Amino acid sequence: MTALDIQRIRADFPILKREVHGRPLVYFDNAATTQKPQAVIDALVEYYSTYNANIHRGIHALAEEATARYEATRQSVADFIGAPSADCIVFTRNTTESINLVAHAWGRKNLQPGDEIVLSAMEHHSDIVPWQLLAQATGARLRVLGIDDEGRLLSDDIERLIGEKTKLVAVTQMSNVLGTINPVEQIAELAHQQGALMLVDAAQSIPHMPVDVQALGADFVVFSAHKMLGPTGVGVLYAPRDLLEEMDPFLTGGEMIRRVTYEDSSWNDVPWKFEAGTPNIGDVCAFSASLDYLSDLGMENVRAHEIDLVTVAMRRLSQIEGVTIYGPRNPEDRGGVVAFNLDDVHPHDLATVLDQHGVAIRAGHHCAQPLMGRLDVVATARASFYVYNSEEELDALVEGIEAAARLFRAPVPTRA
Ligand code: PMP
């Protein structure tokens, strides 16, 4: 059983004390965003009440303190993901912006007509649309790795589609719908054998399992603070320093320059070359507290806890008549996400009934419309778990689904 003390963890999250529609809140929408522990909330308050200042430019105590705390978070991020140094870490607004940064700053410089970008059938829109626009702008072409009926990447496609025309492979490490954990290390190796680069969308993996970016062998790794107990408005792009140095700037203006004349400009060192304008200082500083919180729990323990929850959730959901669960059957092969449908009940209706039971889940296409097409559904319901969720909370989920089944699937009385 899990090494996490769930009751102690829950006490750290003030929002978990609230009720929704008169029921205790059961928050199962963690793949969308996670709740924040008091330590993160306190860190934000501390920033605004004791050392709020703009960074890198002020010659006064507050500016120096804010700069030191902002840069210390960069080091904490590097340590958390096993990056060789803090200058491999670029702060953005979110995963989406990190991917757009790579598409613009690396992609526009390096892609030519006929080149190929390989994605997978389970990518989030943020790992599709930037590549689509890049392909349109450069004459490159998208190729898509298919999945089997359990939502695992087809190994034949991996061998077949990653070839000499491939310039970039961009694949999620953990699907936000199916939960599938993809073999990104092997895919990165294959990409490198073909001279291509590898981007790993780690938005759902870094918050939920131990990830060492150097062991992954990926060239770009992207994720968001808000999905790992941190504030909204902070994303990360990891890339080796020499790769960042070769890339063109993305957003331009203040802070990212070394020297500006009306004729020409030159760029700041990396990573600051990619951080134009005043960054999200308070939120970056508070992100540090969430990294400390997760490190104290231990990412192995976080992963083990989610495997336990998913095992029970899948068993209990599959006992409800009419429920279809998507993704790998083995809980060890998936993250803390269970997407499902209830026959004859639209997921939005299901989510509305669950909300009445205090249970927050997500219903819709989960920003993965092409995947919905492959699953042959328009939408699914999705329960996604995190460190403060307990097995007891699954009772409310099951009760809510059964209530929805009674409400929407009751036989229509026929006239005599
Ligand atoms: N990729 C995946 C796999 C995701 O789950 C998400 C968020 N749902 C994103 C990318 C985008 O993250 P953000 O909205 O923080 O940019």
Side-chain angles (χ1 to χ4, degrees):
M1 258 290 137
T2 178
L4 299 184
D5 180 346
I6 304 302
Q7 289 319 315
R8 193 192 59 73
I9 292 172
R10 291 181 68 82
D12 293 332
F13 290 77
I15 206 166
L16 298 179
K17 294 186 184 71
R18 71 162 285 184
E19 295 194 338
V20 171
H21 303 306
R23 308 278 188 107
L25 167 66
V26 173
Y27 187 77
F28 282 163
D29 194 16
N30 293 288
T33 200
T34 57
Q35 301 301 344
K36 318 305 169 197
Q38 191 62 49
V40 170
I41 300 167
D42 288 347
L44 269 175
V45 172
E46 187 199 358
Y47 168 72
Y48 286 111
S49 40
T50 67
Y51 64 97
N52 171 48
N54 213 330
I55 54 170
H56 295 144
R57 30 189 123 148
I59 312 201
H60 57 77
L62 295 190
E64 277 170 18
E65 201 174 324
T67 304
R69 300 280 286 260
Y70 181 91
E71 293 303 332
T73 304
R74 204 189 298 279
Q75 185 63 53
S76 301
V77 174
D79 296 342
F80 193 83
I81 61 171
S85 61
D87 50 17
C88 304
I89 305 297
V90 178
F91 286 121
T92 61
R93 275 188 311 141
N94 46 40
T95 302
T96 305
E97 186 175 300
S98 298
I99 296 175
N100 276 275
L101 193 164
V102 176
H104 281 261
W106 178 83
R108 293 200 177 228
K109 191 172 181 180
N110 288 289
L111 289 196
Q112 288 172 359
D115 288 346
E116 294 183 351
I117 304 165
V118 177
L119 312 178
S120 88
M122 64 180 92
E123 296 313 308
H124 188 279
H125 294 162
S126 67
D127 200 32
I128 301 174
V129 183
W131 308 124
Q132 206 162 53
L133 292 187
L134 177 64
Q136 284 162 13
T138 58
R141 171 156 99 111
L142 300 189
R143 309 297 308 268
V144 181
L145 305 172
I147 55 173
D148 65 17
D149 290 341
E150 269 195 57
R152 285 176 306 225
L153 290 180
L154 296 172
S155 38
D156 283 359
D157 273 11
I158 297 174
E159 299 281 340
R160 192 170 57 84
L161 294 181
I162 301 175
E164 56 185 25
K165 291 187 185 158
T166 311
K167 287 289 172 307
L168 179 77
V169 181
V171 170
T172 188
Q173 189 170 17
M174 188 188 291
S175 161
N176 64 317
V177 180
L178 305 163
T180 318
I181 297 173
N182 289 319
V184 283
E185 299 86 345
Q186 284 108 291
I187 300 175
E189 221 176 294
L190 281 176
H192 291 153
Q193 280 166 15
Q194 299 292 345
L197 297 194
M198 172 83 187
L199 178 141
V200 173
D201 177 349
Q204 296 294 347
S205 55
I206 285 180
H208 299 278
M209 60 194 257
V211 175
D212 180 315
V213 291
Q214 291 188 83
L216 274 191
D219 303 285
F220 302 109
V221 179
V222 295
F223 58 103
S224 298
H226 72 94
K227 291 187 198 282
M228 50 194 300
L229 310 180
T232 47
V234 180
V236 173
L237 164 65
Y238 156 82
R241 191 195 159 105
D242 51 352
L243 181 56
L244 288 175
E245 273 169 357
E246 282 165 25
M247 284 158 56
D248 283 339
F250 172 41
L251 301 174
T252 58
E255 274 294 286
M256 52 74 66
I257 49 79
R258 181 176 310 288
R259 192 163 174 277
V260 175
T261 67
Y262 283 112
E263 288 71 41
D264 211 357
S265 304
S266 57
W267 316 133
N268 201 342
D269 291 334
V270 300
W272 304 286
K273 177 171 106 179
F274 297 106
E275 294 179 11
T278 301
N280 194 352
I281 305 163
D283 290 307
V284 166
C285 292
F287 182 27
S288 218
S290 68
L291 294 171
D292 290 346
Y293 194 94
L294 286 171
S295 298
D296 286 349
L297 295 182
M299 292 309 292
E300 292 285 357
N301 296 328
V302 172
R303 172 81 184 122
H305 174 61
E306 291 184 21
I307 292 175
D308 286 349
L309 277 181
V310 165
T311 305
V312 179
M314 288 176 71
R315 189 177 67 231
R316 296 198 58 187
L317 293 192
S318 61
Q319 284 162 356
I320 304 173
E321 200 195 317
V323 165
T324 305
I325 297 174
Y326 303 97
R329 276 191 274 279
N330 182 354
E332 305 264 348
D333 294 343
R334 56 194 290 159
V337 178
V338 182
F340 61 98
N341 266 322
L342 178 62
D343 280 355
D344 306 326
V345 181
H346 193 284
H348 284 175
D349 291 334
L350 182 56
T352 307
V353 175
L354 283 165
D355 182 52
Q356 292 301 315
H357 284 72
V359 183
I361 61 149
R362 177 63 50 125
H365 53 60
H366 315 293
C367 298
Q369 285 177 0
L371 174 61
M372 295 293 114
R374 168 64 180 81
L375 299 177
D376 202 19
V377 294
V378 284
T380 77
R382 178 186 73 186
S384 52
F385 311 120
Y386 212 17
V387 293
Y388 34 71
N389 290 128
S390 68
E391 238 181 87
E392 294 75 62
E393 287 181 302
L394 292 171
D395 293 342
L397 177 68
V398 169
E399 277 162 31
I401 298 171
E402 286 172 346
R406 281 193 299 276
L407 191 63
F408 292 104
R409 300 176 62 207
V412 181
T414 48
R415 281 197 203 185

